[in-house]
Amino acid sequence: MDIKMEGLSFEIMEKALEQARRGRAHILGEMLKTISTPRADYKPFVPRIEKMQVPKEFIGAIIGPGGKIIQEIQKDTGSTIIIEEVGEFGMIDIFSSNKDSIEAAKDRIKKIVAVPEVGDVYNGKVKSIVAFGAFIEILPGKEGLLHISEIDWKRVTDIEEYMKVGQMIDVKLIGIDNSTGKLKLSRKALLPQPPQK
């Protein structure tokens, strides 16, 4: 309130401030009738921005050659993604008009930056079948070998009896070659072992 004007008495100011206080209290009271505490999250259809942070060495994998991967994620999820390198990290802003779109984009990015760990189980896609086994993509851009001896507890002669190219199968990561970084997978590790004869 501007009190530099002459003729504005203390009583008028006191009355105006008290009237403003009562008005504010009334408005807050009406607001409390509708919602008394902040919501834990926005409604699903509310536009939003979410941030992610990844180690900077993964920025290239998220963007992909010529921006192919990031453009694919944006197209498939209906989101807009901006990545900026800040120090040792990639700071990712994901914009979307709904929560499901952002969650889908975050999930895709998490899979790209995930580091496979021995003992974890993955639902992977059969990329190719060769005489000695099958190559399974367990995470985007991360393939491992499911050796023919790791498909089943019994002897396998025809791999295509168990899987086809493009099929999704569950496999367990049983090893990572220290020198090459190649992933060793097993399907039989997830199956009950038959009793010994």
Side-chain angles (χ1 to χ4, degrees):
M1 181 180 289
D2 188 352
I3 57 168
K4 295 190 292 292
M5 292 174 56
E6 287 187 22
L8 203 57
S9 69
F10 180 78
E11 290 77 20
I12 291 173
M13 283 180 51
E14 186 179 33
K15 189 175 179 183
L17 289 171
E18 175 58 21
Q19 190 177 13
R21 186 193 65 77
R22 286 197 312 269
R24 190 180 81 247
H26 174 73
I27 291 168
L28 290 173
E30 293 300 310
M31 288 170 64
L32 284 173
K33 289 177 188 175
T34 303
I35 183 168
S36 58
T37 56
R39 289 187 177 96
D41 196 3
Y42 308 116
K43 292 187 177 183
F45 51 81
V46 172
R48 61 188 75 211
I49 302 170
E50 288 201 24
K51 290 186 175 291
M52 285 181 77
Q53 181 176 294
V54 298
K56 75 174 181 181
E57 61 264 24
F58 289 110
I59 294 174
I62 295 167
I63 294 171
K68 182 183 175 195
I69 303 294
I70 196 167
Q71 288 172 12
E72 192 176 279
I73 296 170
Q74 291 178 116
K75 182 182 173 200
D76 292 348
T77 64
S79 62
T80 300
I81 302 169
I82 297 172
I83 302 178
E84 182 182 1
E85 186 178 323
V86 179
E88 296 300 308
F89 297 98
M91 305 305 290
I92 304 171
D93 289 318
I94 307 170
F95 306 81
S96 180
S97 60
N98 65 76
K99 184 173 184 173
D100 290 344
S101 171
I102 284 190
E103 291 304 320
K106 282 167 62 178
D107 185 56
R108 294 272 293 268
I109 292 168
K110 284 177 186 174
K111 285 180 179 173
I112 292 170
V113 302
V115 177
E117 291 193 29
V118 172
D120 284 356
V121 176
Y122 300 91
N123 185 249
K125 186 175 189 177
V126 179
K127 298 296 277 187
S128 62
I129 294 174
V130 290
F132 53 87
F135 288 96
I136 315 293
E137 185 180 50
I138 58 170
L139 292 166
K142 296 176 179 82
E143 286 184 18
L145 173 64
L146 174 61
H147 192 269
I148 194 167
S149 64
E150 291 294 333
I151 292 173
D152 202 341
W153 288 101
K154 63 184 181 187
R155 190 167 186 275
V156 175
T157 54
D158 184 7
I159 297 169
E160 294 205 17
E161 284 182 15
Y162 292 84
M163 65 196 71
K164 305 275 186 239
V165 172
Q167 182 181 340
M168 301 298 289
I169 64 164
D170 288 334
V171 290
K172 184 174 186 176
L173 180 58
I174 56 170
I176 301 174
D177 189 301
N178 289 332
S179 57
T180 63
K182 289 183 178 176
L183 309 177
K184 300 173 189 174
L185 307 172
S186 175
R187 177 180 172 271
K188 79 177 184 183
L190 303 175
L191 303 173
Q193 187 172 359
Q196 299 293 325
K197 292 181 181 178

